Amino acid sequence: MQTYLRPIHFVESPQQHDGASARLAGTMLWFGAVELIVRESGQTMRSIMPVAECDALPDTAQPIFSRLTAPRAAVQIGGRTIRLDQPQVMGILNVTPDSFSDGGRHDSPDGAIAAGVAMAAAGASIIDVGGESTRPGAPVVWDGDEIARVEPVIRGLAASGTAISIDTRKAAVMQAATAAGAGMINDISALLYDDQSLASARAANCPVALMHAPSQSSDPHKGGDYADVLFDVYDWLEARVAAVEAAGIDRSRLLIDPGIGFGKSLTDNLTLINNLSLFHGLGCPILFGASRKRMIGALSNEAPVEQRLGGSLFLAMKAVEQGAQIVRVHDVAETVQAIHVWRGLRDAALTARA
């Protein structure tokens, strides 16, 4: 038997409904009920339970409810403390010639550094530097070439005091990047692509984002056959978090990412996004990335990459409204502005007189 809890019935002003809601993972969101989902012998049973009655949840669900309501620790990236009680923006900085959205845009270290500094000035809390495209069909980049692309950019950004994440699945790149000043590892293979990645991440003693992909081979989009994408991804991430924790990386340093667009159909992606709050049951901060992805084009008359701002903003805010702690985006200033407006609405709701 497998048990899941999905926070639902979000409450705008919990102070007006004393005891009827619970705070979600220390964020600015309160939920009034959970969807209790039990899967057993090929059957899925669902029921809704108000928060006020959650003391009566089955024993298998009680630890999950505790994880839903436990605040997430701040992320320590170098000398920076990134609080997760409010949504944060991670800016995407690709120093590659072939990334699906901005490949070749930053063709010199100085230009990439300037772009990263500009994103930080626009409100990005973290800059995610990547030196290898993982779009469908992209070739694997030799470790040395990837290091040559990212290392000078990371050194330059670190000198400016920027919080930096390295977007890589290779141990050698992780080592070089963290030595150069990166304070977080964002691995689309969840430390499975390279046999040495887990040891490198453990030695770096920094936050690590574990993303779901159906394959940890050279093609992360390979496969993608799911019995039920929502629970398959959840179970995979749950097992991976447990394995990484058992290998010596504390759960408080782990973030999870459902891997929107990686080996998933449009329907799969929509299911994951609509049910994103389920993943708080894993007890780790959620990193969400759907910026400019092909699903936006699929839903908007095949809009090209450069015309996907509206969809990117909506998906980012859909994630924020389900408690995602970090949204990974190309369009930093626009996303930061959207979150500021959302924050204003939340502040007004949370301070309204009872």
Side-chain angles (χ1 to χ4, degrees):
M1 184 176 72
Q2 297 165 292
T3 303
Y4 310 84
L5 292 179
R6 183 170 71 95
I8 57 174
H9 297 176
F10 288 94
V11 179
E12 290 300 309
S13 299
Q15 71 276 17
Q16 297 178 359
H17 307 277
D18 190 35
S21 62
R23 191 174 185 180
L24 178 60
T27 68
M28 300 179 71
L29 296 169
W30 273 255
F31 59 98
V34 294
E35 183 182 23
L36 171 63
I37 306 164
V38 178
R39 303 176 77 207
E40 186 174 17
S41 302
Q43 300 295 315
T44 300
M45 295 157 283
R46 299 172 183 264
S47 58
I48 292 176
M49 184 170 287
V51 161
E53 300 175 13
C54 280
D55 286 346
L57 282 167
D59 290 345
T60 53
Q62 291 292 348
I64 305 173
F65 188 81
S66 295
R67 290 195 290 270
L68 291 180
T69 56
R72 305 297 182 247
V75 176
Q76 302 292 331
I77 301 181
R80 299 283 301 280
T81 299
I82 312 297
R83 292 174 49 183
L84 299 180
D85 57 346
Q86 53 190 293
Q88 304 289 348
V89 171
M90 172 185 277
I92 300 169
L93 183 60
N94 291 318
V95 285
T96 59
D98 57 349
S99 290
F100 83 96
S101 176
D102 52 1
R105 181 179 176 188
H106 309 301
D107 56 1
S108 72
D110 287 346
I113 293 166
V117 170
M119 284 193 285
S125 300
I126 308 164
I127 305 302
D128 195 36
V129 179
E132 178 185 57
S133 173
T134 51
R135 62 175 174 77
V140 175
V141 176
W142 175 56
D143 299 19
D145 287 341
E146 191 174 340
I147 291 170
R149 291 174 179 177
V150 302
E151 190 174 40
V153 176
I154 291 170
R155 289 193 184 282
L157 288 173
S160 73
T162 304
I164 307 157
S165 168
I166 177 63
D167 174 11
T168 188
R169 52 185 172 171
K170 303 188 183 78
V173 182
M174 294 174 191
Q175 294 164 14
T178 53
M184 176 176 171
I185 294 168
N186 181 18
D187 184 355
I188 66 163
S189 77
L191 303 178
L192 285 168
Y193 175 78
D194 187 324
D195 291 343
Q196 300 302 312
S197 289
L198 200 153
S200 296
R202 184 171 55 233
N205 194 32
C206 67
V208 181
L210 307 174
M211 194 197 82
H212 172 272
S215 172
Q216 288 73 53
S217 67
S218 58
D219 180 5
H221 302 272
K222 184 178 179 181
D225 297 321
Y226 307 102
D228 186 306
V229 68
L230 180 62
F231 303 117
D232 289 356
V233 172
Y234 184 102
D235 292 346
W236 189 94
L237 285 169
E238 182 177 43
R240 192 61 194 141
V241 167
V244 171
E245 185 178 26
I249 299 179
D250 193 86
R251 183 180 287 254
S252 65
R253 286 171 45 202
L254 300 178
L255 301 88
I256 54 103
D257 180 344
I260 301 300
F262 281 81
K264 300 173 179 78
S265 69
L266 175 60
T267 300
D268 293 336
N269 289 321
L270 296 175
T271 297
L272 290 168
I273 295 168
N274 277 330
N275 295 277
L276 189 67
S277 64
L278 182 86
F279 291 91
H280 290 289
L282 296 174
C284 298
I286 297 172
L287 171 62
F288 177 85
S291 180
R292 300 184 185 176
K293 290 194 173 178
R294 65 170 64 184
M295 65 172 292
I296 300 169
L299 293 169
S300 54
N301 199 30
E302 299 303 329
V305 168
E306 65 275 9
Q307 294 178 22
R308 296 176 184 172
L309 174 60
S312 297
L313 288 173
F314 183 86
L315 292 177
M317 297 314 299
K318 177 71 172 178
V320 165
E321 291 200 327
Q322 294 184 76
Q325 285 88 354
I326 302 175
V327 289
R328 181 178 181 270
V329 304
H330 297 86
D331 303 291
V332 168
E334 294 85 350
T335 308
V336 168
Q337 184 180 78
I339 289 176
H340 282 171
V341 174
W342 179 86
R343 275 289 313 271
L345 292 167
R346 294 302 304 134
D347 288 341
L350 294 173
T351 56
R353 296 178 64 181

